[in-house]
Amino acid sequence: MNILGIGRALPQQVVTNQQLEQILDTSDEWIASRTGIRERRVMEGQHLTGLALQAAQEALADAGIKGQEIDLILVATTMGDYLFPSLACLIMEDLGASCPAMDLHAACTGFLYGLQTADAFLKSGKARHVLLVGAEAITRLANWTDRSTCVLFGDGAGAVVLGTSEREDLLGIHLNAQTDSRLLYSLSPAGNNPFTKGHDDPSQGLVMVGQDVFRFAVGQSEKDLKTVAEAAGIPMDQVDWVLLHQANRRILDTVRRRLGIDPRRMPDNIHRTGNTSAASIPLLLWELYHSGRLLPGHILALSAFGAGLTSGACLLRWGKQPPSELIPADDLFEQPVQNP
Ligand code: COA
């Protein structure tokens, strides 16, 4: 499997911590020091379908591939604009594609689950090109009266076009799941069936036991990265870039310290994006690629974790030259938060 192209789309509306101070008992100081987040994008007057489509179109153009050449569309998402049809079906026509299409739900680990699924289609010969999009409007699920959760999330979409060549670039991948709906969940709509009584109330939105999720994320990410590096026979100090799911900068810092990773090899954009769930890793990868620092032959380690509980990590070799127009990205390497 090789990454042939990459695209992204972000909502126009920026919501800063200062804006949150106006509606919640919170402060920029608290949010920034506990999470690293300073602002996030929130969809307004837009649909997730439009964001996913825009990211996908950019990825196809970057790959030099036409929609008709896509054999499978996968969208990793927690919830599209519709419960059905899938987001993948909704973007297909505008891409000019005609192929199997489905959404894949593994919460914040969705992009890694998507990579593994795409790889299986490619390796089995069922597909020559797969479009994988991570697209989330997770702020729709947040409970905007709960200051301990709503400040964390943002919306966005990132996409990659995947194909094959003689050189295999997926050097290893490892996925996990375990049943635990207590730590992080959001109930689906109850509907108005008069014959079904006593269903749980979904109006509480997204619910999270923050410190337990924090512990899970740190421990699992460290374990997954070690597992995948060991299986591939590539020590972590030979990995050029480590991209973690952008959930909390204190999670990033703790994993970085435990694995002895140089901060200059671990970019983050959480201060601008917040936690965008399945879109988080492709959004960060897009920024690294457009910074011009990601070069052909570089090895990337990706690691994600989220509701389920799910987690996963992979090692990838990058094969693309930097794009012709670069976007300066010095703030991808901000100073870690103190006192994690
Ligand atoms: N602003 C101000 N105060 C806040 C606040 C906010 N936005 N959110 C919570 N607080 C308060 C709490 O009410 C609590 O007050 P108290 O001591 O008077 O009871 C205090 O801050 C400490 O709360 P606590 O929950 O212990 O903070 P924390 O250091 O664990 O940070 C999280 C909370 C949510 C930032 C942190 O647990 C976390 O990031 N967990 C992982 C979440 C995550 O990444 N989830 C997605 C994974 S995919």
Side-chain angles (χ1 to χ4, degrees), residues 113-158:
Y113 270 72
L115 281 180
Q116 171 81 90
T117 309
D119 187 53
F121 272 78
L122 292 165
K123 292 233 166 73
S124 69
K126 295 277 182 200
R128 280 168 305 138
H129 297 116
V130 178
L131 171 68
L132 169 62
V133 186
E136 297 278 22
I138 199 88
T139 66
R140 286 199 291 225
L141 297 172
N143 174 355
W144 287 89
T145 62
D146 177 7
R147 65 179 183 173
S148 66
T149 53
C150 71
V151 302
L152 302 174
F153 296 98
D155 303 332

Side-chain angles (χ1 to χ4, degrees), residues 21-88:
E21 287 175 355
Q22 308 302 311
I23 57 163
L24 294 163
D25 178 16
T26 190
S27 64
D28 174 48
E29 197 279 326
W30 192 96
I31 302 171
S33 63
R34 299 282 178 128
T35 71
I37 301 166
R38 293 204 175 269
E39 61 185 43
R40 70 287 293 143
R41 300 295 181 102
V42 176
M43 282 200 320
E44 214 284 298
Q46 288 171 294
H47 292 107
L48 188 58
T49 310
L51 278 192
L53 178 64
Q54 197 185 324
Q57 284 168 329
E58 187 189 328
L60 284 171
D62 188 47
I65 297 278
K66 293 199 185 338
Q68 303 93 290
E69 297 173 76
I70 295 290
D71 305 306
L72 174 69
I73 300 175
L74 294 171
V75 179
T77 187
T78 307
M79 190 176 77
D81 295 317
Y82 297 79
L83 284 181
F84 53 87
S86 67
L87 199 40

Side-chain angles (χ1 to χ4, degrees), residues 14-337:
V14 176
V15 174
T16 63
N17 290 349
Q18 286 77 11
Q19 284 171 277
L20 296 181
E21 287 175 355
Q22 308 302 311
I23 57 163
L24 294 163
D25 178 16
T26 190
S27 64
D28 174 48
E29 197 279 326
W30 192 96
I31 302 171
S33 63
R34 299 282 178 128
T35 71
I37 301 166
R38 293 204 175 269
E39 61 185 43
R40 70 287 293 143
R41 300 295 181 102
V42 176
M43 282 200 320
E44 214 284 298
Q46 288 171 294
H47 292 107
L48 188 58
T49 310
L51 278 192
L53 178 64
Q54 197 185 324
Q57 284 168 329
E58 187 189 328
L60 284 171
D62 188 47
I65 297 278
K66 293 199 185 338
Q68 303 93 290
E69 297 173 76
I70 295 290
D71 305 306
L72 174 69
I73 300 175
L74 294 171
V75 179
T77 187
T78 307
M79 190 176 77
D81 295 317
Y82 297 79
L83 284 181
F84 53 87
S86 67
L87 199 40
C89 282
L90 290 173
I91 63 172
M92 182 163 62
E93 190 177 81
D94 285 338
L95 291 172
S98 175
C99 60
M102 65 174 170
D103 288 358
L104 185 156
H105 182 1
C108 300
T109 319
F111 188 75
L112 283 164
Y113 270 72
L115 281 180
Q116 171 81 90
T117 309
D119 187 53
F121 272 78
L122 292 165
K123 292 233 166 73
S124 69
K126 295 277 182 200
R128 280 168 305 138
H129 297 116
V130 178
L131 171 68
L132 169 62
V133 186
E136 297 278 22
I138 199 88
T139 66
R140 286 199 291 225
L141 297 172
N143 174 355
W144 287 89
T145 62
D146 177 7
R147 65 179 183 173
S148 66
T149 53
C150 71
V151 302
L152 302 174
F153 296 98
D155 303 332
V160 288
V161 175
L162 304 163
T164 53
S165 75
E166 280 170 17
R167 195 181 78 172
E168 173 58 51
D169 284 343
L170 183 61
L171 305 173
I173 186 160
H174 174 74
L175 303 175
N176 303 291
Q178 64 195 65
T179 305
D180 194 337
S181 60
R182 187 184 50 91
L183 298 188
L184 183 51
Y185 67 89
S186 182
L187 292 171
S188 50
N192 65 350
N193 183 342
F195 302 103
T196 306
K197 295 203 171 57
H199 37 58
D200 296 327
D201 175 15
S203 63
Q204 57 191 330
L206 187 151
V207 181
M208 182 174 70
V209 185
Q211 292 189 357
D212 287 356
V213 174
F214 192 104
R215 271 189 286 276
F216 162 74
V218 166
Q220 199 61 48
S221 181
E222 179 189 3
K223 205 159 123 190
D224 290 345
L225 284 166
K226 277 184 179 162
T227 303
V228 81
E230 210 174 288
I234 299 175
M236 281 303 288
D237 60 10
Q238 284 180 25
V239 172
D240 296 286
W241 303 104
V242 183
L243 272 56
L244 248 65
H245 168 48
Q246 304 288 290
N248 181 323
R249 191 173 288 136
R250 284 156 61 220
I251 294 177
L252 307 180
D253 288 344
T254 312
V255 173
R256 179 175 60 68
R257 270 198 306 273
R258 286 192 187 177
L259 291 174
I261 299 165
D262 181 337
R264 287 167 301 182
R265 294 196 294 121
M266 199 157 159
D268 78 77
N269 60 2
I270 190 168
H271 44 293
R272 283 184 274 103
T273 61
N275 179 344
T276 56
S277 188
S280 154
I281 285 187
L283 285 174
L284 184 58
L285 185 59
W286 186 98
E287 286 205 39
L288 185 62
Y289 169 55
H290 282 264
S291 75
R293 300 187 196 201
L294 181 57
L295 300 174
H298 277 183
I299 309 278
L300 291 147
L302 313 180
S303 163
F305 37 81
L309 300 166
T310 57
S311 76
C314 76
L315 286 182
L316 273 174
R317 187 172 23 226
W318 189 253
K320 287 174 68 65
Q321 292 293 340
S324 48
E325 280 181 37
L326 302 182
I327 299 172
D330 291 342
D331 76 341
L332 284 181
F333 304 90
E334 283 215 331
Q335 286 304 306
V337 169

